[in-house]
Amino acid sequence: MKKTLLLAAVAAVVVYVIGDFLAASAYDGYRYLDQAISELSAFGSPVRPLMVTVILLYNVLLLAFGIGLLLVARRKSLWWIGALQLTQFVLVGIATHTFWAMSSRGRATGFNDTMHIVLSGVFSLLVVVMMALSAVAYPGWFRRYSLATIVVVVAFGIASSLAMRGIEQNDTPWAGGFERINAYAYFAWLVVLAVMVIRHELGTVRPAPRTDRAEAPHG
């Protein structure tokens, strides 16, 4: 059961990636590289029902992953990642693309757009904190990988935000491309983290035994 809960992170990524592709393909006139992922679930989007369903399923699977982390964690930093996953589900996972989804291009913006930006910022902060905690949990190559992913996520998150400033003029070149690099780097980290947790916390990889170097005194 624990392994199944942890593998829910992999399932969540698969669901989101497929949903992103299908929704973007079904949205006539949608520009994959120039429009944000959030525009697929925006108020007024013709594929909003599909993308909201995808996001809800994705978040439920991540909730299962967070519960799995809490159940298997033998490291305090890993336990906190699980706790933050649950916090993310409660605070922003559902609301960001349902109650507080952004408005489609050409529609009047409102308080929902402001809340969408705020909740997206909270989500990004939680992601960076979780990545930093994972770097603490697993040193070595995974630490370097997590820190590098933080750089990618932050850099392309900023790039996407800057590109989206021209949304009122319908001029957002590479906004979708930058955001997808940001999102897919996070997805890749989720998958690798799930594998690391399964290997280390469920006993596939065991710590090296200590060598007792104490010797009996010579007579």
Side-chain angles (χ1 to χ4, degrees):
M1 183 192 71
K2 293 176 182 178
K3 186 175 182 180
T4 300
L5 289 172
L6 295 173
L7 286 174
V10 180
V13 169
V14 171
V15 166
Y16 200 106
V17 171
I18 293 175
D20 179 30
F21 175 78
L22 291 178
S25 300
Y27 193 156
D28 187 36
Y30 180 85
R31 301 186 305 277
Y32 192 79
L33 293 180
D34 297 333
Q35 291 185 245
I37 300 173
S38 295
E39 294 187 63
L40 296 173
S41 60
F43 292 121
S45 164
V47 295
R48 174 172 163 78
L50 169 61
M51 199 59 192
V52 168
T53 301
V54 167
I55 290 171
L56 290 175
L57 180 55
Y58 161 82
N59 277 286
V60 169
L61 288 168
L62 282 190
L63 174 64
F65 176 60
I67 293 172
L69 289 177
L70 294 178
L71 291 176
V72 305
R74 293 182 290 185
R75 298 165 171 83
K76 183 175 292 187
S77 52
L78 194 63
W79 185 91
W80 275 108
I81 296 174
L84 289 177
Q85 280 286 1
L86 269 62
T87 302
Q88 184 270 135
F89 176 84
V90 173
L91 292 182
V92 300
I94 302 299
T96 306
H97 296 275
T98 52
F99 310 114
W100 305 119
M102 67 178 289
S103 303
S104 293
R105 299 185 185 216
R107 291 170 62 108
T109 59
F111 184 64
N112 60 294
D113 293 279
T114 301
M115 285 299 298
H116 183 80
I117 293 172
V118 170
L119 293 179
S120 297
V122 172
F123 171 77
S124 298
L125 177 61
L126 291 175
V127 166
V128 170
V129 172
M130 286 189 284
M131 288 181 177
L133 287 169
S134 74
V136 173
Y138 300 117
W141 71 267
F142 184 79
R143 174 173 293 173
R144 294 189 293 274
Y145 168 71
S146 297
L147 295 176
T149 304
I150 290 175
V151 173
V152 172
V153 166
V154 171
F156 282 95
I158 293 173
S160 175
S161 297
L162 293 176
M164 285 295 290
R165 290 189 301 178
I167 190 170
E168 292 185 2
Q169 293 77 37
N170 196 26
D171 181 27
T172 55
W174 279 98
F178 293 151
E179 185 183 19
R180 284 178 170 87
I181 293 173
N182 165 284
Y184 282 41
Y186 163 61
F187 292 157
W189 169 81
L190 267 178
V191 172
V192 177
L193 175 63
V195 173
M196 288 291 290
V197 174
I198 290 171
R199 293 183 64 205
H200 288 268
E201 306 304 315
L202 295 184
T204 305
V205 174
R206 300 184 182 279
R210 292 183 178 180
T211 302
D212 189 357
R213 299 183 179 276
E215 298 180 359
H218 296 284

